Amino acid sequence: MEQQQGKQGVTVAKLFPNQDPIKLVQFKFKELEDGFKSWLSKQSLPVEAAVVTATGGVQGAAIGAIMGTLTPDISSSMPTPPPQASLNPQAMASLKQAQALAGGPLIQARNFAVMTGTNAGIACIMKRLRGKEDVQSSMVAAFGSGAMFSLVSGMGGPNLATNAITSGLFFALVQGGLFKLGEKLSKPPVEDLCYARTRSMLNNLGLQNYEKNFKKGLLTDNTLPLLTDSALRDVRIPPGPRLLILDHLRRDPELREKTCKP
């Protein structure tokens, strides 16, 4: 009996090893997220767009509610003109804009829910129709979210249509710029692509500090089969590291084949 209990304890220990609770929660959340995405990708376009729009709206509402809670609601302290007051349209539009930006949690939750939900829904539709995510799709989604945010929040001038188009264009330009900036920051420099194998070799040998010497002498990956002691000396690499590099290159079967080819 004790032996059987001991085996069960070993089995339980294998199934539930000691893990960091935070990492376990992150793993479970990632597992649920992957399963949800896999299910969603199998649905029709209207279903997927509706679900993505709803989830985006919920996330936006949560963000807006938090922001509205952290920032003081000064809309109630703003003077409200009487119905008989004859304010010019521009002044009335400015008052509505201030009220929209200074609203409490419910107002901010509504504004952000519309903005993020519309953005997510349009982006989902564009990705399905075009088969890719690019700056054009991102700008179209941003235009829609900006226009809807303008209509719901009441920001801008008295002409709702013109103001919606203006806000949409502004959102699209900002989103397009951010998309391009993100692409530029995420891509490695073209120069580094020419030294990928060299960098790997130097890291394996513990000589990563000499990568700048290779770049200074333009000793790219294509020159590895041709490297000689004098070439490494010309870029000011000491004798010890030179021997390690040349020995590594001699032992590399792929480079040896390239060197032996006529």
Side-chain angles (χ1 to χ4, degrees):
M1 184 69 177
E2 292 180 357
Q3 185 177 3
Q4 184 177 2
Q5 290 179 348
K7 291 181 178 180
Q8 290 177 350
V10 173
T11 304
V12 171
K14 289 181 178 179
L15 291 175
F16 302 99
N18 294 328
Q19 293 184 7
D20 185 355
I22 297 178
K23 291 184 178 180
L24 186 59
V25 171
Q26 291 176 343
F27 173 77
K28 290 295 183 182
F29 179 80
K30 186 69 169 56
E31 192 176 35
L32 290 173
E33 184 182 18
D34 292 342
F36 176 74
K37 289 181 177 179
S38 175
W39 170 83
L40 194 60
S41 63
K42 300 175 183 177
Q43 307 305 311
S44 62
L45 176 58
V47 173
E48 182 181 9
V51 172
V52 170
T53 301
T55 53
V58 171
Q59 293 174 355
I63 295 173
I66 294 173
M67 291 183 63
T69 303
L70 297 178
T71 57
D73 181 9
I74 61 175
S75 60
S76 57
S77 62
M78 292 182 178
T80 302
Q84 297 83 7
S86 57
L87 291 179
N88 64 72
Q90 192 64 37
M92 183 61 72
S94 299
L95 179 61
K96 288 184 178 180
Q97 180 174 351
Q99 290 176 339
L101 293 175
L106 293 179
I107 294 178
Q108 296 296 348
R110 177 201 64 187
N111 294 344
F112 275 83
V114 171
M115 181 173 62
T116 57
T118 303
N119 190 296
I122 296 177
C124 171
I125 294 173
M126 294 296 293
K127 183 179 179 181
R128 271 287 191 102
L129 294 178
R130 306 183 71 227
K132 59 181 179 179
E133 291 181 89
D134 55 10
V135 64
Q136 288 85 358
S137 299
S138 179
M139 292 180 70
V140 170
F143 178 86
S145 65
M148 288 301 298
F149 176 77
S150 172
L151 293 173
V152 171
S153 64
M155 291 179 58
N159 192 325
L160 295 180
T162 303
N163 183 57
I165 294 174
T166 304
S167 300
L169 289 175
F170 175 75
F171 273 58
L173 290 175
V174 172
Q175 182 70 15
L178 293 176
F179 191 95
K180 284 296 185 182
L181 180 62
E183 277 189 336
K184 186 175 182 181
L185 293 177
S186 61
K187 288 182 179 178
V190 178
E191 176 189 348
D192 286 352
L193 297 177
C194 300
Y195 298 92
R197 185 162 188 175
T198 301
R199 185 182 302 109
S200 176
M201 175 191 69
L202 294 175
N203 287 336
N204 291 335
L205 295 175
L207 303 175
Q208 56 270 18
N209 291 336
Y210 294 104
E211 182 179 345
K212 60 182 182 297
N213 299 68
F214 275 77
K215 291 182 177 180
K216 187 176 180 180
L218 300 179
L219 299 177
T220 63
D221 292 347
N222 293 332
T223 66
L224 288 179
L226 308 174
L227 281 183
T228 61
D229 185 77
S230 61
L232 295 174
R233 189 188 311 118
D234 289 341
V235 294
R236 299 181 181 279
I237 296 180
R242 292 204 304 266
L243 292 174
L244 292 175
I245 292 170
L246 293 174
D247 179 67
H248 176 84
L249 295 177
R250 277 193 293 266
R251 295 172 182 271
D252 191 313
E254 184 177 346
L255 292 177
R256 210 165 46 233
E257 290 178 5
K258 291 183 179 180
T259 306
C260 296
K261 286 181 180 181

